Amino acid sequence: MSVLVVGTVAFDSIETPFGSAERILGGSASYFALGASFFAPVRVVGVIGEDFPQDYLDLFAQRKIDTDGVERAAGDTFHWRGRYHEDINVRDTVELHLNVLAGFEPKLPDPYRDAEYVFLGNIDPLMQMEVLDQLRRVRLVACDTMDHWIRTSNDALKKVLRRIEMLVINDSEARLLSGYDNIVKAAREILKMGPRMVLIKRGEYGVLQFSDSSIFATPAYPLEQVFDPTGAGDSFAGGLMGHLARSGDRSQGGLRRAIVYGSVVASFTVEDFGVKRLAGVSLEEIEERYRQFVELTDFHS
Ligand code: AMP
């Protein structure tokens, strides 16, 4: 079962306490697609500019990621510049150039319209909605967003939330969206906005999953060195959705296993700059770290 993602395909310029990188491959759809590609075929909907290098498209092709839905438009590619603090959980957006993303109207190639597992990655909610409108037989829609869209496109985002099953969001965004500081209250408030499930990403502290009837908590895989947290959230969602598409198991246990696979994928992403580690890791390494994760959290009551 394949997974469809819409999101940004970007140039990122990143500064962390451990180094910096200029105009490397980034974007919510890129990280998601690479993360999901270990488990299921992936199709990407997005837009790139004339300056986007063929090497990056080749990298997607090597991981068998279908980029037929990535449009090349006149102009420059979306560019994000971010700086991380000494406390690597905190980052500032220093520059955000939408470039070809401004005014992008996603058009799904016909076979994409039958996608059953769909991730509305971090992008303008109006574009997320346009993708939703083109789907014929979707089974699971998950969605991400960020402070920029919560502030600038709130009404459209609320409409998207009424049509999705799962929201994957980080803790500060959950607070901003809900108006509550307490994370449990924030999750409950977001559940009232539409999604059946909210997954709250808390960086090195892990993930909390909320539904009306349950709460599930997992830590992040403990690492001695985090070089660059960029893309952790998107590759987490990629691992999660990819695993769900592979297993088809939507039981509570199946969802929990998918959350742990997502956490494992994210733990590789942050071990190097950009997509370097994520693009080079093997499925065997992922499975081995998954087993370590199970041991790490083994608890007999
Ligand atoms: P993450 O670290 O998982 O939250 O996602 C980081 C990625 O989001 C980077 O690769 C950026 O290119 C991308 N990004 C940053 N700002 C935005 C935005 N406003 N809309 C969509 N993608 C963004």
Side-chain angles (χ1 to χ4, degrees), residues 16-18 84-91 204 226-229:
T16 83
F18 311 104
Y84 290 84
H85 294 211
E86 280 300 321
D87 172 359
I88 200 129
N89 291 302
V90 187
R91 81 172 172 210
E204 67 173 300
V226 172
F227 274 97
D228 171 18

Side-chain angles (χ1 to χ4, degrees), residues 224-287:
E224 271 190 44
Q225 181 92 62
V226 172
F227 274 97
D228 171 18
T230 311
D234 301 308
S235 58
F236 163 79
L240 167 92
M241 291 289 283
H243 179 72
L244 282 175
R246 173 174 80 167
S247 70
D249 182 358
R250 304 260 299 275
S251 67
Q252 189 54 238
L255 278 166
R256 290 179 179 200
R257 281 185 285 278
I259 290 171
V260 173
Y261 270 107
S263 305
V264 167
V265 169
S267 75
F268 284 109
T269 304
V270 303
E271 282 184 335
D272 207 337
F273 268 90
V275 302
K276 230 190 212 166
R277 180 74 174 114
L278 178 63
V281 72
S282 66
L283 184 57
E284 290 69 37
E285 287 175 288
I286 291 174
E287 296 291 4

Side-chain angles (χ1 to χ4, degrees), residues 56-70:
Y56 291 163
L57 293 173
D58 292 345
L59 175 71
F60 289 133
Q62 275 161 26
R63 296 249 13 110
K64 307 247 180 321
I65 295 166
D66 177 344
T67 52
D68 284 354
V70 177

Side-chain angles (χ1 to χ4, degrees), residues 119 143-147 150 157 161 166-178 183 187 190 198-202 206-208 233 236:
F119 187 68
C143 170
D144 188 6
T145 192
M146 78 189 300
D147 51 355
I150 297 171
L157 177 61
L161 292 181
M166 195 190 287
L167 181 68
V168 185
I169 192 170
N170 76 28
D171 43 5
S172 61
E173 291 152 359
R175 291 188 176 104
L176 183 66
L177 178 63
S178 67
I183 215 67
I190 294 169
V198 182
L199 289 175
I200 299 191
K201 301 171 282 181
R202 300 164 65 232
V207 178
L208 288 168
F236 163 79

Side-chain angles (χ1 to χ4, degrees), residues 8 10-12 26-28 31 78 80 84 91 93 96 98 101 122-123 146 148-149 201 229-235:
T8 46
F11 285 131
D12 283 353
S28 52
Y31 280 105
F78 176 93
W80 175 74
Y84 290 84
R91 81 172 172 210
T93 290
L96 183 75
L98 295 180
L101 188 66
N122 187 9
I123 201 167
M146 78 189 300
H148 180 78
W149 307 117
K201 301 171 282 181
T230 311
D234 301 308
S235 58

